[in-house]
Amino acid sequence: MEKKLKRVGVTRHLLWEEYHQKHPEGVMYSRFCYHYRKWRQKSEGYMPAVYKAGDKAFVDYAGKKLHIIDPHTGEIIPVEVFVATLGASQYTYGIIYY
């Protein structure tokens, strides 16, 4: 599951859907994610990070380009999404560039 999640476009929900097709009597999505989180914490070790307010911000571009459609012309415009998360509060901000 770890290897599959590293591929572009693969989500936990997609993996759960595959699991649910093979095991229709199995657990629902929320429980599937719960067990995955528990397993991951045990396998990697888990130590929550504590950041001082204003000390850290984590920034990145959000994966593949997204597209917006101009409502007047119908033109499809590729855009970049820049994401920043503040360390202490975990507030996340996104900015679209085009």
Side-chain angles (χ1 to χ4, degrees):
M1 193 162 152
E2 285 290 306
K3 286 181 184 178
K4 287 183 180 181
L5 281 172
K6 289 183 182 181
R7 287 190 251 158
V8 175
V10 176
T11 63
R12 285 185 302 224
H13 195 270
L14 183 66
L15 295 176
W16 173 78
E17 286 176 343
E18 289 178 9
Y19 158 80
H20 197 64
Q21 285 177 353
K22 292 178 186 175
H23 308 282
E25 72 289 342
V27 297
M28 297 307 290
Y29 177 67
S30 60
R31 203 67 181 159
F32 181 82
C33 291
Y34 169 81
H35 287 297
Y36 171 69
R37 266 192 318 275
K38 287 295 185 184
W39 173 84
R40 191 161 182 222
Q41 288 173 357
K42 286 181 185 177
S43 67
E44 292 182 0
Y46 177 72
M47 183 173 171
V50 178
Y51 299 103
K52 182 179 167 186
D55 187 39
K56 299 265 187 224
F58 303 93
V59 297
D60 199 359
Y61 282 93
K64 289 182 173 182
K65 282 190 177 183
L66 301 177
H67 296 86
I68 58 173
I69 299 173
D70 185 320
H72 301 292
T73 64
E75 177 187 6
I76 299 174
I77 305 166
V79 296
E80 296 274 357
V81 179
F82 179 76
V83 180
T85 301
L86 301 178
S89 65
Q90 297 295 301
Y91 284 142
T92 302
Y93 300 90
I95 300 170
I96 297 175
Y97 291 102
Y98 60 101

